[in-house]
Amino acid sequence: MKRRLLLLLLIAFIFKSYSQDKKTTFQLSIGPTLSIPKTSELTDTDVDGSPEIKSSINIGGYILPSINYSFNEKLSLDIGLGYYLDRFAIEDKFAAITNKVNRNISQIQVPMHINFHFGSDNSYHFGIGGFTSIVLSAKEKGETITDLNQIDLVDPLDPVFQSNSTVGYKNNIKDNYNTVNFGAFIQLKKFFSLSETKKAFVLVKINQYFNSIKSNDPNADIANYVNFKDEKEPTTINFGFGIEI
């Protein structure tokens, strides 16, 4: 974590050194990132039990130094390089087995977008663009629940029968993600004055990943009898507060 903070401070210094003319400003924003619920119904399979993957809301965070270059009063360009921690609450159901886990995806993200200015004093900026993400780490921690009631081979009258068992686990799942991936987003910023020379802003941004999750491994054991569709690509929302420096 210390190395990442030092990297961001170095990036901020470099950005600041290039933001000396009137058309260029250095911005720094920080805030939470929320995961959007999704359900992937894995219907392309020969296994009973309605396999599916559900994600629910979880909260991470980000810090983003960026440079804004103004073409004119109505149009500008933003380029940034920041640290993002996306967190997802996942329920992975496969026949009698359910995995309930929290995933933490740590990454460096490079967003770039065009802003369209409007409103009083052009204080609203609507942005549309894309990003490149470099995954640093991906981990999950949770529990596996086995419901033996769904297995016909088990006799529920057996005295050693237990209907449910729960086992906790931790996994490094970085290999499940592409190291470099891409996405797109839309963003809305609202600027306001802190003083005669300083401005701040609040923002909301919706991110859609395109290829963060790898395709299924054809060599995996499960591929011998299950043909899974890929899990749906994640969507996140960023809320933030920022300042121009």
Side-chain angles (χ1 to χ4, degrees):
M1 180 60 72
K2 289 182 178 179
R3 291 181 180 178
R4 294 168 189 170
L5 291 175
L6 289 173
L7 174 62
L8 290 175
L9 289 174
L10 176 60
I11 293 166
F13 175 78
I14 295 172
F15 280 3
K16 179 62 176 176
S17 67
Y18 281 94
S19 59
Q20 302 300 320
D21 63 89
K22 293 181 179 180
K23 289 188 175 182
T24 306
T25 58
F26 170 73
Q27 300 177 354
L28 181 65
S29 59
I30 187 170
T33 176
L34 278 68
S35 55
I36 301 302
K38 286 190 174 183
T39 298
S40 304
E41 295 182 356
L42 308 176
T43 56
D44 188 12
T45 174
D46 296 328
V47 175
D48 295 331
S50 302
E52 63 182 11
I53 299 175
K54 293 181 179 179
S55 66
S56 55
I57 293 176
N58 211 331
I59 300 175
Y62 77 96
I63 179 169
L64 177 66
S66 61
I67 283 182
N68 173 268
Y69 180 82
S70 179
F71 296 105
N72 52 52
E73 292 184 353
K74 296 293 185 180
L75 193 66
S76 64
L77 173 70
D78 276 9
I79 301 176
L81 180 60
Y83 172 74
Y84 284 71
L85 174 62
D86 287 337
R87 302 184 70 243
F88 305 93
I90 303 293
E91 182 177 302
D92 179 356
K93 182 179 180 182
F94 172 71
I97 299 173
T98 301
N99 298 313
K100 294 184 177 181
V101 301
N102 287 318
R103 291 182 184 172
N104 295 334
I105 314 299
S106 176
Q107 58 197 294
I108 295 294
Q109 197 175 108
V110 184
M112 181 171 64
H113 63 279
I114 291 289
N115 295 298
F116 301 93
H117 309 172
F118 63 97
S120 177
D121 299 323
N122 293 314
S123 60
Y124 288 91
H125 289 193
F126 174 74
I128 182 169
F131 61 85
T132 300
S133 181
I134 302 172
V135 175
L136 302 176
S137 66
K139 299 178 181 180
E140 66 179 15
K141 178 181 178 180
E143 58 186 17
T144 298
I145 303 170
T146 304
D147 183 2
L148 299 180
N149 286 315
Q150 299 187 36
I151 303 177
D152 295 335
L153 297 177
V154 176
D155 181 3
L157 299 180
D158 191 322
V160 299
F161 172 78
Q162 294 182 349
S163 61
N164 290 285
S165 65
T166 301
V167 178
Y169 70 94
K170 296 179 181 179
N171 280 338
N172 184 340
I173 58 171
K174 187 177 180 181
D175 288 343
N176 294 0
Y177 290 82
N178 291 308
T179 301
V180 179
N181 56 81
F182 305 93
F185 65 91
I186 56 174
Q187 176 179 274
L188 181 63
K189 282 183 181 179
K190 165 61 177 173
F191 285 83
F192 55 91
S193 296
L194 293 177
S195 66
E196 292 184 359
T197 59
K198 295 294 182 182
K199 288 184 178 180
F201 56 87
V202 292
L203 68 86
V204 58
K205 182 169 74 169
I206 302 175
N207 308 282
Q208 176 59 58
Y209 290 82
F210 291 155
N211 66 327
S212 63
I213 302 173
K214 286 184 178 179
S215 298
N216 297 317
D217 183 359
N219 297 318
D221 292 339
I222 199 169
N224 294 329
Y225 56 92
V226 176
N227 182 22
F228 283 111
K229 291 182 177 179
D230 286 341
E231 180 181 346
K232 288 183 179 178
E233 293 290 343
T235 304
T236 60
I237 295 181
N238 301 147
F239 297 96
F241 172 80
I243 56 173
E244 287 188 349
I245 302 174

